[in-house]
Amino acid sequence: MTAIQYAGLTDQGRLREENEDRWLADPQQGLYLVADGMGGMFGGALASQVVVEILPRLIRKRMRDLDQPDPSKVEHQVLAALSELSERLHNEAKSEFGSGAMGSTAVLALVGDRQALVAHMGDSRAYLLRDGRLRQLTTDHTVIQLLLDAGEITPDEVADHPARGQLTRFVGMPGEPLPEVQSIGLAAGDRLLLCSDGLSGMLSDEQILNVLEEESVPEAACRQLVAAANEAGGRDNVTVLLLSVASD
Ligand code: CA
């Protein structure tokens, strides 16, 4: 497996009374995960906690059942694990609290030999920093993204738009779960950033890139990213999980 250095950090931010973000790193399994819970009175923190506790187990079990870990089969199993968890969370939340009561985003990287699988539901993001360029790997599952794609609004209108924060897909969504997955090759020096929207909503890609370029040590970069999000207002919980691919 590709050697990875990593660090993760979560912070309540400056306005929220609770931190409903969770992150998890399991280097043995090569699994790195950020979850951002929502659910107001019913406890988004519970939903994101369920994601970081249960999803690694579901993925581990499905990986064990694979005889040939070829990329398309791994992708299929990760999608199936996310769908299974989403249906379970939806059904349990519905019977406890009523429909649509709670859910969570999930963005994960499953690192294998010189490659990583990136999967997500919701607006938590994965970015790849390579050769001085920061590329957003995931497409937000949000109403805002749909409006942008349709040309109904411009990027300038996002900040004050009433649909801001509304997700079109999440773990626990009603109907058929629709997780997305992609595989990317990993090269020495690559850095993968998983984050909640408490980071990407407060900092531009350029600001994120600047911090990552200035700070090569993962722990320090995470601290700086969280500090920058809080300096920019800290309107939401902020979580960062940074993976650095070791040089050969
Ligand atoms: Ca959030």
Side-chain angles (χ1 to χ4, degrees):
M1 196 189 289
T2 304
I4 296 286
Q5 272 190 311
Y6 76 91
L9 187 62
T10 188
D11 189 86
Q12 197 167 322
R14 294 173 61 182
L15 297 183
R16 297 287 169 93
E17 286 179 0
E18 206 189 339
N19 191 346
E20 300 186 331
D21 286 0
R22 296 288 183 273
W23 66 275
L24 168 129
D26 179 352
Q28 252 189 333
Q29 196 181 357
L31 180 64
Y32 302 85
L33 171 63
V34 167
D36 174 354
M38 72 256 193
M41 61 196 289
F42 296 118
L46 179 60
S48 54
Q49 189 65 33
V50 165
V51 172
V52 298
E53 280 184 18
I54 310 287
L55 190 58
R57 283 187 230 161
L58 294 179
I59 292 175
R60 198 177 300 123
K61 180 179 177 303
R62 286 171 176 277
M63 290 301 144
R64 264 204 309 264
D65 295 345
L66 272 186
D67 41 340
Q68 280 284 325
D70 74 60
S72 69
K73 285 186 180 161
V74 174
E75 283 188 5
H76 178 79
Q77 293 302 336
V78 169
L79 288 177
L82 269 166
S83 295
E84 182 185 342
L85 179 62
S86 182
E87 281 173 350
R88 276 169 60 174
L89 187 66
H90 176 72
N91 291 337
E92 278 168 35
K94 194 172 152 189
S95 63
E96 287 277 315
F97 310 114
S99 193
M102 66 180 193
S104 175
T105 72
V107 61
L108 68 88
L110 185 62
V111 177
D113 190 23
R114 290 171 194 280
Q115 49 103 31
L117 176 158
V118 172
H120 80 296
M121 294 179 87
D123 63 353
S124 296
R125 290 180 178 177
Y127 289 91
L128 175 68
L129 174 64
R130 175 180 291 168
D131 300 332
R133 277 191 54 227
L134 187 72
R135 185 158 64 94
Q136 186 183 328
L137 296 174
T138 51
T139 305
D140 294 346
H141 295 145
T142 59
V143 172
I144 291 289
Q145 186 66 48
L146 291 182
L147 293 170
L148 284 169
D149 291 346
E152 296 283 336
I153 59 169
T154 63
D156 304 346
E157 295 173 89
V158 168
D160 300 316
H161 199 281
R164 200 182 149 95
Q166 288 180 22
L167 302 184
T168 52
R169 308 184 201 180
F170 51 92
V171 181
M173 67 189 283
E176 185 192 350
L178 295 166
E180 243 185 283
V181 70
Q182 61 192 298
S183 289
I184 55 162
L186 287 181
D190 279 354
R191 280 189 284 170
L192 261 180
L193 172 67
L194 308 182
C195 66
S196 65
D197 68 328
L199 183 83
S200 52
M202 300 309 303
L203 301 181
S204 65
D205 288 5
E206 194 185 347
Q207 288 171 307
I208 294 172
L209 174 64
N210 288 341
V211 172
L212 293 177
E213 296 250 87
E214 266 170 40
E215 227 4 294
S216 59
V217 179
E219 288 81 2
C222 286
R223 278 198 303 272
Q224 297 245 11
L225 286 169
V226 167
N230 280 330
E231 273 162 34
R235 286 201 303 264
D236 199 356
N237 308 143
V238 51
T239 301
V240 291
L241 179 50
L242 185 61
L243 283 61
S244 179
V245 181
S247 305
D248 296 321

